[in-house]
C-alpha cells in the first residue's frame, strides 16, 4: 500500500503516541533488564561498530535515535552528530543520555519528511526504526542524497521470515492475543509495524545509488525466551549461559563468512543489518 503524506499523518501520530508511552521503560526493557537482552544489545552494538568502522569523520546522522541507545557510538566517531526522532519523550531520554556530549544535536522530526537542506553526512545510522515507517522506501532512497561522497549508511531492522516469529516472543499466545488474531482486531489500531524483506531493502539501497552493500544477521540465535515484554525462559536457567555462548560462537562464524553463509543464517535472526557506501 502506498501512503501519501495525508494518509500517513495519523499513522505517525499513533506511532509517536506508542513510543512516547514506551519511552519510560523502553531502554531498560529492550536492552538492559536481563541476560538475554544484554546479549542482544552486545550483538547489535558489535554489528553497528563493525559496520560503521573506526575512522573519525566530520558529520553523522541518526534516524530514529529513541532514547539515544546508539547515539554515543556516532558521537565517538563524528565531530558533529544530528540525531532525530518522532517521539518527544524518547528525545527527552536521549537528551539525558547525551548530556555530556557537546557534539550531539537532537531534533524532533518524522524521518519520512526529513529534509537536511544542503547538509551531507559521512555516516548515517538507523536501528529498529524503518519497520514503523510506511514510507520507509523513500527514506532509504534519501540516504543517497544525504550521504557525503564515500559516506556509509547502516540500517538495522527486523527480519520478516524468522524462527523468532514463530515463538511467543512475538506474542502469539495468551487469550487476548489469540482473540485478536482470530478477529483481526489490533490492540493499537493506529500503531503501524511491518517487517521489510531483505531483498526489498537491498534493492532500495541500490536504487539509492549505494554500492558495496552487505547484509548480515544482527540479533541471532535460538529463541531461549518467549513473550516480548514478559520474557519467560523456555530452557532451564542453568542452560541459558551455554545457549548464549553457543549463539555467540555461531554468530561470529556467520558474521565472518561470505554472503551465502550470512544469507543462509537469516532465518535464525530476529533482525538484520544492511550497509552500503556512496561512491566517492
Ligand atoms: C524501537 S525504537 C528504536 C530506538 C533506538 N534506535 C534503539 O534501537 O534503541 C523505534 C524508534 O523509532 C522512532 N520512530 C518511529 N517512526 C519514526 C518516524 N517516522 N520518524 C522518526 N522516528 C520514528 C520511535 O519514536 C522510536 O524512538
Amino acid at each position: 500500500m502506498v501512503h501519501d503524506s495525508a494518509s500517513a499523518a495519523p499513522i505517525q501520530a499513533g506511532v509517536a503516541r506508542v513510543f512516547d508511552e514506551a519511552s519510560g521503560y523502553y531502554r531498560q526493557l529492550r536492552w538492559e533488564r536481563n541476560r538475554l537482552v544484554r546479549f542482544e544489545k552486545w550483538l547489535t552494538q558489535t554489528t553497528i561498530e563493525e559496520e560503521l568502522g573506526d575512522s573519525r569523520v566530520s558529520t553523522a546522522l541518526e534516524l530514529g535515535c529513541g532514547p539515544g541507545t546508539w547515539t554515543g557510538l556516532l558521537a565517538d566517531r563524528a565531530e558533529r552528530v544530528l540525531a532525530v526522532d518522532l517521539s518527544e519523550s524518547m528525545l527527552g531520554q536521549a537528551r539525558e543520555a547525551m548530556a555530556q556530549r557537546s557534539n550531539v544535536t537532537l531534533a524532533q522530526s518524522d524521518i519520512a519528511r526529513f529534509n537536511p537542506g544542503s547538509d551531507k553526512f559521512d555516516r548515517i545510522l538507523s536501528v529498529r526504526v524503518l519497520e514503523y515507517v510506511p514510507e520507509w522506501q523513500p527514506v532509504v532512497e534519501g540516504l543517497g542524497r544525504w550521504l557525503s561522497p564515500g559516506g556509509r549508511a547502516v540500517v538495522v531492522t527486523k527480519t520478516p521470515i524468522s524462527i523468532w516469529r514463530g515463538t511467543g516472543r512475538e506474542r502469539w499466545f495468551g487469550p487476548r492475543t489469540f482473540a485478536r488474531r482470530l478477529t483481526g482486531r489490533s490492540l493499537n489500531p493506529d500503531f503501524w509495524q511491518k517487517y521489510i524483506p531483505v531483498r526489498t531493502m537491498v534493492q532500495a539501497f541500490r536504487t539509492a545509488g549505494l554500492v558495496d552493500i552487505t547484509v548480515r544477521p544482527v540479533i541471532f540465535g535460538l529463541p531461549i525466551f518467549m513473550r516480548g515484554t514478559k520474557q519467560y525462559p523456555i530452557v532451564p536457567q542453568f542452560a541459558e549461559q551455554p545457549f548464549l555462548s553457543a549463539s555467540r560462537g555461531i554468530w561470529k562464524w556467520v558474521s565472518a563468512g561470505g554472503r551465502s553463509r550470512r544469507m543462509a543464517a537469516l532465518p535464525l535472526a530476529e533482525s538484520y543489518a544492511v550497509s552500503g557506501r556512496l561512491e566517492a
Side-chain angles (χ1 to χ4, degrees), residues 9-247:
I11 293 174
Q12 256 92 47
V15 170
R17 185 182 54 73
V18 168
F19 281 109
D20 277 346
E21 280 169 22
S23 64
Y25 59 83
Y26 171 80
R27 190 178 184 137
Q28 226 276 332
L29 188 83
R30 184 67 199 83
W31 301 117
E32 287 166 6
R33 102 187 185 143
N34 62 32
R35 191 151 48 179
L36 177 73
V37 297
R38 288 194 296 274
F39 172 66
E40 295 182 340
K41 185 175 188 190
W42 180 84
L43 293 172
T44 307
Q45 179 162 338
T46 307
T47 306
I48 295 169
E49 290 186 314
E50 288 179 2
E51 293 303 314
L52 286 176
D54 290 334
S55 327
R56 289 284 304 170
V57 294
S58 171
T59 51
L61 168 69
E62 185 173 8
L63 300 169
C65 61
T69 321
W70 319 111
T71 313
L73 299 179
L74 290 175
D76 288 341
R77 289 165 171 77
E79 276 165 38
R80 278 173 295 123
V81 178
L82 172 62
V84 301
D85 200 282
L86 192 59
S87 154
E88 281 291 0
S89 309
M90 283 287 193
L91 285 167
Q93 300 277 328
R95 253 173 225 118
E96 266 178 47
M98 293 296 114
Q100 307 302 319
R101 305 276 201 159
S102 57
N103 59 338
V104 175
T105 303
L106 294 152
Q108 201 272 341
S109 172
D110 173 357
I111 57 172
R113 280 144 198 89
F114 177 70
N115 180 1
S118 57
D119 289 351
K120 302 274 180 192
F121 302 90
D122 303 309
R123 298 286 178 272
I124 302 181
L125 176 68
S126 181
V127 183
R128 304 178 74 90
V129 176
L130 293 185
E131 57 269 43
Y132 307 107
V133 183
E135 314 92 326
W136 68 269
Q137 254 161 323
V139 173
V140 171
E141 283 159 24
L143 300 176
R145 296 190 305 278
W146 305 332
L147 276 173
S148 318
R152 206 164 176 79
V154 181
V155 163
V156 175
T157 188
K158 291 183 192 165
T159 324
I161 299 169
S162 158
I163 186 170
W164 295 89
R165 296 282 99 78
T167 69
R169 231 187 115 83
E170 290 293 321
R171 293 169 167 271
W172 274 92
F173 304 119
R176 284 176 70 193
T177 308
F178 190 58
R180 185 160 59 86
R181 300 264 176 222
L182 283 181
T183 59
R185 278 217 323 272
S186 167
L187 286 179
N188 280 317
D190 51 354
F191 186 59
W192 194 94
Q193 179 172 204
K194 204 168 222 161
Y195 305 122
I196 304 163
V198 177
R199 274 173 216 283
T200 318
M201 179 64 81
V202 169
Q203 189 49 50
F205 264 63
R206 284 203 192 105
T207 307
L210 303 194
V211 296
D212 293 345
I213 298 168
T214 61
V215 179
R216 59 188 288 186
V218 179
I219 290 179
F220 172 87
L222 296 170
I224 66 169
F225 282 73
M226 58 196 277
R227 284 207 168 199
T229 52
K230 298 180 202 150
Q231 290 165 334
Y232 301 122
I234 56 176
V235 296
Q237 223 185 353
F238 68 83
E240 272 174 42
Q241 194 54 55
F243 262 94
L244 294 183
S245 301
S247 295

